[in-house]
Amino acid sequence: MGERDFIALLDGVHQLVRAPIVLVWDRLNTHVSRKMQGLVAEREWLTVFLLPAYSPDLNPVEWVWAHVKRSLANLAVMALDRLEALVRNRLKRLQYRPHTLDGFIAGTGLTLDEPTSP
């Protein structure tokens, strides 16, 4: 995915949620490029924080994937589409377990502050 793809995705999400978006990104080259910096600057509803270089311990997504991989540990899957279905199922189940997701964020040592209304 390039910068335009990421921005198109964020624009779509913004249209759906109709609220400011705060994004925490790793340092993928398309996340930190000049082009991306310009696209982000054009969107006052978008705030981007960059993780330090190589910091998987600060990235809650790493915790999510570790959890999903553990749940698949002793399975023998014969087809790639079956594995894809299992991963999608595990991720969908996590949507209904907010305390688990909160735990992934807590595991980073980072905190979430409740937004204040203007």
Side-chain angles (χ1 to χ4, degrees), residues 1-3 7-8 13 25-26 30 33 37 46 68 76-78 80 83 88 92 95 103 107 109 116:
M1 284 180 67
E3 291 91 346
I7 286 296
V13 170
W25 258 341
D26 59 13
T30 53
S33 71
Q37 290 173 5
L46 179 60
V68 169
V77 179
M78 301 303 280
L80 191 56
L83 178 60
R88 285 179 184 275
K92 184 75 172 169
Q95 288 181 323
T116 57

Side-chain angles (χ1 to χ4, degrees), residues 86-97:
L86 286 168
V87 170
R88 285 179 184 275
N89 175 271
R90 297 306 196 275
L91 291 170
K92 184 75 172 169
R93 283 160 72 194
L94 277 174
Q95 288 181 323
Y96 300 102
R97 299 177 65 194

Side-chain angles (χ1 to χ4, degrees), residues 26-73:
D26 59 13
R27 293 188 177 264
L28 181 69
N29 60 351
T30 53
H31 294 168
V32 296
S33 71
R34 280 199 184 139
K35 184 175 182 180
M36 181 59 78
Q37 290 173 5
L39 292 167
V40 168
E42 294 170 0
R43 289 155 176 82
E44 59 187 50
W45 48 264
L46 179 60
T47 303
V48 174
F49 293 98
L50 292 173
L51 291 169
Y54 192 72
S55 54
D57 51 322
L58 295 177
N59 190 346
V61 172
E62 299 291 340
W63 295 74
V64 170
W65 285 118
H67 179 80
V68 169
K69 286 188 242 178
R70 263 192 316 276
S71 75
L72 301 171

